[in-house]
Amino acid sequence: MQFLLKVNLKSNCMYRIFRFTFPLALFLTISVWLCSCGNSVPRKYLQPDELEDILYDYHVALGMVSSNYEEMDKRAYNERLYKLAVLKKHGVSEEKFEKSMVYYMRHAEDLQKIYKSLSERVRVEAAQMGASIGTMDSGLTAVGDTANIWPIESGLVLMQRQPYHVVSFEIKADTTFHKGDRFNLGFDSQFLFQEGFKDGIAMLTLRFQNDSVATRSLHFSSNSRYNLDLNDNDRLGVKEIRGFFYLNKEQNVQTSTTLKLLFLSRIQLLRMRSQEPKPLSTTLGESVQESSEDGRSNTTDSPQKIQSEPSVPNLPKRELVR
């Protein structure tokens, strides 16, 4: 009798434990299964890490092609050769690659994550190779301090569907901005199109302290390096900077099964400080002094004679500085 009582007590305890823990375990199992199903990519497509490796090599290859100044027909031919070489390296057919890219176009959030990781990978590897992050290209020159004030990721991907067809930016001026600053927006473009019309647009706008506006834009359709320059020539002082990148869409084209992507990389917005112009009176005095020291001065080049010339108005010093 005591033995049966103990068995019944144990059975009741096990039943209570099972009754409370089984629903919780079942709920956790179903939740994990649903999460894994929602985040997984079908096996017939490239997985995110595989696609990132291919895109990395692909962008490096396109960068090598765009660095050579060739005719457009020859460049397009070389781009295709490099693309096929990259796919062969990874053992992936062109059909699978393009179908995978179309899949990720329909899952734009996943593609954005891949390209963000890809941009960070390029940045880190460039730093390990000795490249300084945020430096300008060798073709750019500036007088004074230079800084990269680009506010978001240095790599972006655009596609012909809303809201992923445009990326805008806005920068409010702070104490590091000075009158007369010059600005350069530079970026590398890489189109990944199966077919169709390629048209990317970049725009840069400066709003000055007096609320006047200066704007510059460009259309681009090839894989190359582009630059937009905009300056505070009148030394008004910049209040804010705005701009955007936009991937234009062909009219009356509704298909979503064609691969059409625009990758932007190495985006920089450089603020270059220019030297303030010297006061006219100071410049004039320095030129006269240098002429005297060189021993080339004579009576016609004396300071009194130069000051009496009509080309140099006899104005108060404060107005000359302006």
Side-chain angles (χ1 to χ4, degrees):
M1 189 68 179
Q2 291 180 353
F3 174 76
L4 292 176
L5 182 60
K6 289 180 180 181
V7 170
N8 289 332
L9 289 175
K10 289 181 180 181
S11 299
N12 290 334
C13 290
M14 293 295 294
Y15 172 74
R16 291 175 182 176
I17 294 173
F18 178 79
R19 191 178 71 175
F20 286 105
T21 58
F22 177 75
L24 179 60
L26 181 62
F27 172 77
L28 293 175
T29 302
I30 294 175
S31 299
V32 171
W33 179 76
L34 289 175
C35 291
S36 62
C37 291
N39 295 332
S40 63
V41 177
R43 291 183 177 274
K44 62 180 180 179
Y45 302 120
L46 292 169
Q47 299 302 302
D49 55 343
E50 296 175 320
L51 182 59
E52 181 181 331
D53 290 338
I54 294 175
L55 288 177
Y56 176 81
D57 290 339
Y58 182 67
H59 291 322
V60 171
L62 288 184
M64 295 172 62
V65 174
S66 61
S67 63
N68 298 324
Y69 296 95
E70 301 172 327
E71 297 179 358
M72 292 302 298
D73 292 341
K74 187 176 181 180
R75 176 180 291 187
Y77 174 76
N78 287 335
E79 286 177 358
R80 176 159 179 79
L81 287 182
Y82 275 95
K83 174 185 175 182
L84 295 177
V86 169
L87 295 178
K88 183 178 180 180
K89 171 187 173 182
H90 292 273
V92 176
S93 66
E94 186 176 12
E95 181 183 7
K96 182 175 182 179
F97 173 72
E98 292 182 349
K99 286 185 176 180
S100 298
M101 293 304 298
V102 171
Y103 168 82
Y104 282 101
M105 284 176 58
R106 296 195 298 266
H107 299 77
E109 295 82 2
D110 295 333
L111 185 59
Q112 294 284 349
K113 292 178 182 178
I114 291 173
Y115 203 74
K116 184 176 181 180
S117 176
L118 179 62
S119 299
E120 179 64 17
R121 177 176 171 181
V122 172
R123 187 190 70 84
V124 171
E125 294 193 9
Q128 292 175 349
M129 295 176 64
S132 57
I133 305 304
T135 57
M136 61 182 178
D137 290 348
S138 57
L140 296 174
T141 59
V143 178
D145 296 337
T146 301
N148 181 16
I149 59 173
W150 179 248
I152 54 179
E153 293 86 358
S154 61
L156 301 171
V157 56
L158 303 180
M159 59 193 72
Q160 291 182 336
R161 65 175 274 202
Q162 296 181 354
Y164 305 103
H165 65 302
V166 61
V167 174
S168 59
F169 60 91
E170 179 179 351
I171 303 173
K172 298 292 185 181
D174 54 23
T175 56
T176 63
F177 284 62
H178 292 75
K179 293 182 178 180
D181 281 348
R182 298 183 292 143
F183 301 89
N184 174 273
L185 177 63
F187 59 93
D188 291 336
S189 67
Q190 294 179 348
F191 288 89
L192 192 56
F193 273 48
Q194 287 179 315
E195 60 182 15
F197 177 67
K198 303 175 184 177
D199 183 27
I201 304 173
M203 177 172 285
L204 182 65
T205 299
L206 301 182
R207 180 176 294 277
F208 300 105
Q209 294 294 341
N210 63 354
D211 286 331
S212 61
V213 173
T215 299
R216 182 159 294 179
S217 63
L218 65 84
H219 288 252
F220 55 96
S221 58
S222 61
N223 300 330
S224 185
R225 179 77 182 175
Y226 293 93
N227 289 279
L228 269 176
D229 294 303
L230 204 54
N231 306 326
D232 180 13
N233 292 323
D234 295 330
R235 309 186 71 83
L236 300 173
V238 174
K239 180 186 294 186
E240 68 177 5
I241 303 174
R242 291 187 179 186
F244 62 80
F245 292 104
Y246 181 85
L247 180 58
N248 208 357
K249 184 178 181 180
E250 295 180 73
Q251 299 295 329
N252 302 323
V253 176
Q254 304 295 332
T255 179
S256 60
T257 60
T258 302
L259 180 59
K260 294 181 178 181
L261 295 172
L262 170 60
F263 296 100
L264 302 174
S265 58
R266 291 203 305 147
I267 305 174
Q268 295 178 330
L269 179 55
L270 301 178
R271 187 197 64 234
M272 297 171 282
R273 187 169 304 159
S274 60
Q275 292 181 345
E276 295 185 5
K278 293 183 179 180
L280 184 59
S281 59
T282 302
T283 305
L284 181 60
E286 290 178 353
S287 63
V288 172
Q289 183 178 1
E290 291 175 357
S291 178
S292 300
E293 291 176 352
D294 291 341
R296 294 189 295 270
S297 63
N298 50 43
T299 56
T300 60
D301 295 329
S302 63
Q304 293 79 6
K305 180 66 176 178
I306 294 177
Q307 290 178 0
S308 64
E309 292 291 336
S311 60
V312 182
N314 187 16
L315 298 176
K317 186 175 182 181
R318 182 178 63 257
E319 296 185 17
L320 289 174
V321 173
R322 294 178 61 88

